Amino acid sequence: MLNSLFINHQDQKEALAIERRRRFEEARKQRIFNARRRVIGVDTDALGYQVQEKKEIEQSEAEQRRKLSEEIRRQEHVLLLKQREQRQERIRLENELNRFRASNQRPEQSRDFDLFDPNGLKKSLPARVGDDDPRLSVSGAQVFDGEDLEERHRRKVQKEQQRSWLEQQIREKRQAEIDRRAAETFLEDALMSRERRLHQLASQEQYARGKIQQAVNEFNHRLMNEQEQQRTRREREEQEDNLAEIYNNLTSDILTENPDVAKSSFGPNRVITAQYKGMSPEEIEQIRRTQGLQLEELRCKRQEEANKREAWDRLAIDFDRAVTMKEKELMRRRHALSEQIRQENLQLSMDQQRKLDHLDKVVYQNRPTQAYFDQFNTCSR
């Protein structure tokens, strides 16, 4: 559709240009072939019109070149951005690939790395690592009497051990001397403080003994009075408790079987199980009525669910039917569109063939006729 509109617009522009040139040519012919109007010299108006028309054409071409250059720069900028994105994406993929190889495809992780390991000889054990190496055999000529392979290391360890022992002994002697002097000073101070404390404690002990004896006597006297009062009070309380217990047993709800005692303070439907005597006939009847109502509600709920399932099934069937009909309609439209496109392609093929036949049989015959000779000396050019 867009191509056809573009072609029609181009045809109109070409037709207008042809018509404008034809009118200009007719006016020029009238000026040149009319002897009365033809003058000797240059037509300045026509030349000025031609110069103005040429300037307009050059300006139009310059504007087109400017727009074309701007479009080229914009396309180059877009292409540069796209290439930069592609390069960054390629670099990112290469970095991820290198990280994956560095973490999961290292040479030492391969199955046969031990065959070409450059440090294989360095990692392998020497022929002899010690006198107790189990790989040494009798005929290997590796063990000889009087050898000491660890002599240098052993002597070095012994020297370091002796040096550490000497340093430790020096530190211990210095610390012992410091501790001895500190202990002597502390002992002298402790002895002097002890003497002063002994004198002070002796005077305080004598004063405290008198106070303690006086307090003990007063405490014993008060304790004797309190024990006598407590004994009298216990006897009186025990007698009162016995009388109250006898009265409570005679008037208790257990002996009278009061049904109100089973009611709980936490709610009207709560009971105290230890004092519950059973349900009344009214309560039993109320329970049966409630169960009947629950059965009726359950039956209605099941019927409602069955109705809903049936309605959903009908809706699903209708929806499937509508979808099927819509698919059939779309299929018919698609076939009709395909048939229309096929007919248009066939018509275009026939038109193109007729055009080719016309070009081959009429246009490209190159046979000059009288009209070819009559076209000369018919314009002002």
Side-chain angles (χ1 to χ4, degrees):
M1 186 65 183
L2 293 175
N3 293 332
S4 62
L5 292 175
F6 180 74
I7 292 171
N8 293 332
H9 183 65
Q10 290 292 111
D11 294 341
Q12 291 176 3
K13 289 177 63 177
E14 292 179 0
L16 291 175
I18 293 170
E19 183 64 24
R20 185 172 61 255
R21 290 195 297 272
R22 184 180 294 111
R23 289 197 303 269
F24 180 76
E25 181 66 21
E26 290 294 333
R28 181 178 175 85
K29 286 166 59 178
Q30 291 176 5
R31 291 195 305 270
I32 293 176
F33 293 116
N34 190 352
R36 294 182 179 181
R37 298 182 60 184
R38 185 173 67 244
V39 294
I40 300 174
V42 179
D43 190 355
T44 57
D45 296 334
L47 292 176
Y49 179 76
Q50 291 178 357
V51 171
Q52 183 67 25
E53 184 179 5
K54 185 176 182 181
K55 289 182 179 179
E56 292 178 356
I57 293 173
E58 290 177 353
Q59 291 177 358
S60 177
E61 292 178 353
E63 182 67 20
Q64 291 181 358
R65 286 195 298 272
R66 186 184 62 81
K67 292 182 180 179
L68 181 61
S69 62
E70 290 180 356
E71 181 67 21
I72 291 173
R73 284 196 299 271
R74 189 182 67 82
Q75 293 291 340
E76 289 178 352
H77 181 66
V78 173
L79 181 61
L80 182 62
L81 293 177
K82 190 66 177 177
Q83 291 177 354
R84 186 179 301 171
E85 292 179 359
Q86 292 178 357
R87 185 169 60 256
Q88 292 177 356
E89 181 68 17
R90 185 167 61 253
I91 292 172
R92 187 183 65 81
L93 294 176
E94 291 177 356
N95 292 333
E96 291 182 357
L97 180 61
N98 292 331
R99 285 196 298 270
F100 178 78
R101 289 175 176 175
S103 60
N104 298 318
Q105 293 183 350
R106 294 195 299 270
E108 58 269 16
Q109 293 179 348
S110 61
R111 184 177 58 184
D112 52 354
F113 178 71
D114 55 338
L115 299 178
F116 54 86
D117 187 3
N119 297 324
L121 296 178
K122 297 179 181 179
K123 295 179 181 179
S124 61
L125 294 175
R128 177 182 177 184
V129 295
D131 296 338
D132 55 350
D133 192 350
R135 298 177 303 160
L136 299 178
S137 60
V138 177
S139 61
Q142 295 291 330
V143 179
F144 301 95
D145 293 337
E147 286 185 326
D148 188 2
L149 299 180
E150 302 294 335
E151 179 182 4
R152 183 179 299 176
H153 178 70
R154 178 172 51 78
R155 289 183 180 276
K156 182 179 178 181
V157 172
Q158 288 176 355
K159 290 180 181 179
E160 292 178 355
Q161 188 174 10
Q162 289 177 358
R163 185 183 299 109
S164 63
W165 286 349
L166 292 174
E167 292 177 354
Q168 183 178 3
Q169 289 175 3
I170 293 170
R171 288 195 301 270
E172 290 177 355
K173 286 182 179 181
R174 291 178 180 176
Q175 187 65 32
E177 183 65 22
I178 294 172
D179 294 341
R180 184 183 62 78
R181 293 178 181 179
E184 289 178 355
T185 304
F186 178 76
L187 182 59
E188 291 177 358
D189 295 339
L191 290 174
M192 294 178 64
S193 176
R194 181 179 179 185
E195 291 295 333
R196 290 193 299 268
R197 185 62 177 169
L198 287 175
H199 291 293
Q200 185 180 1
L201 289 176
S203 60
Q204 290 179 358
E205 183 180 1
Q206 186 177 1
Y207 176 76
R209 284 181 183 274
K211 289 291 184 180
I212 290 172
Q213 186 63 35
Q214 183 181 358
V216 168
N217 294 332
E218 292 177 357
F219 177 76
N220 291 333
H221 182 69
R222 289 195 305 271
L223 183 60
M224 182 179 63
N225 294 332
E226 290 178 359
Q227 288 179 355
E228 184 65 23
Q229 292 175 2
Q230 289 179 2
R231 185 180 59 78
T232 305
R233 187 173 62 254
R234 283 197 300 270
E235 290 178 356
R236 185 173 63 253
E237 290 177 356
E238 186 177 357
Q239 186 176 4
E240 291 176 356
D241 291 340
N242 292 333
L243 293 175
E245 185 178 0
I246 293 171
Y247 177 77
N248 291 332
N249 288 329
L250 292 176
T251 61
S252 64
D253 294 331
I254 295 176
L255 296 178
T256 59
E257 295 185 357
N258 185 10
D260 294 335
V261 298
K263 296 181 179 180
S264 176
S265 61
F266 294 102
N269 296 326
R270 303 286 295 273
V271 296
I272 300 174
T273 57
Q275 299 178 2
Y276 187 62
K277 303 298 181 180
M279 291 187 297
S280 62
E282 292 80 5
E283 293 177 346
I284 295 174
E285 185 63 26
Q286 180 66 26
I287 291 174
R288 289 178 179 174
R289 287 196 299 271
T290 303
Q291 290 177 350
L293 292 175
Q294 291 176 352
L295 290 174
E296 184 65 22
E297 291 177 357
L298 181 61
R299 186 183 62 79
C300 294
K301 185 176 180 180
R302 290 178 178 176
Q303 183 64 31
E304 184 178 358
E305 291 178 355
N307 294 334
K308 287 182 179 180
R309 286 195 298 271
E310 185 177 357
W312 277 108
D313 293 339
R314 289 196 301 270
L315 181 61
I317 293 172
D318 295 339
F319 182 76
D320 294 338
R321 186 181 297 109
V323 170
T324 304
M325 294 177 64
K326 191 67 177 178
E327 290 179 353
K328 291 181 179 179
E329 180 66 22
L330 291 175
M331 188 63 70
R332 286 195 297 270
R333 291 181 180 180
R334 191 179 294 110
H335 287 319
L337 182 61
S338 300
E339 183 63 24
Q340 182 180 358
I341 293 172
R342 190 182 66 80
Q343 293 294 335
E344 292 179 357
N345 292 333
L346 181 60
Q347 184 65 31
L348 291 174
S349 177
M350 294 174 64
D351 294 341
Q352 185 177 11
Q353 186 64 36
R354 285 195 298 270
K355 185 176 180 180
L356 293 175
D357 294 340
H358 175 73
L359 292 175
D360 293 336
K361 296 179 180 179
V362 177
V363 178
Y364 299 143
Q365 293 297 322
N366 197 16
R367 296 176 181 177
T369 60
Q370 186 63 32
Y372 173 75
F373 300 101
D374 293 339
Q375 67 181 345
F376 296 103
N377 199 20
T378 57
C379 66
S380 60
R381 301 295 180 180

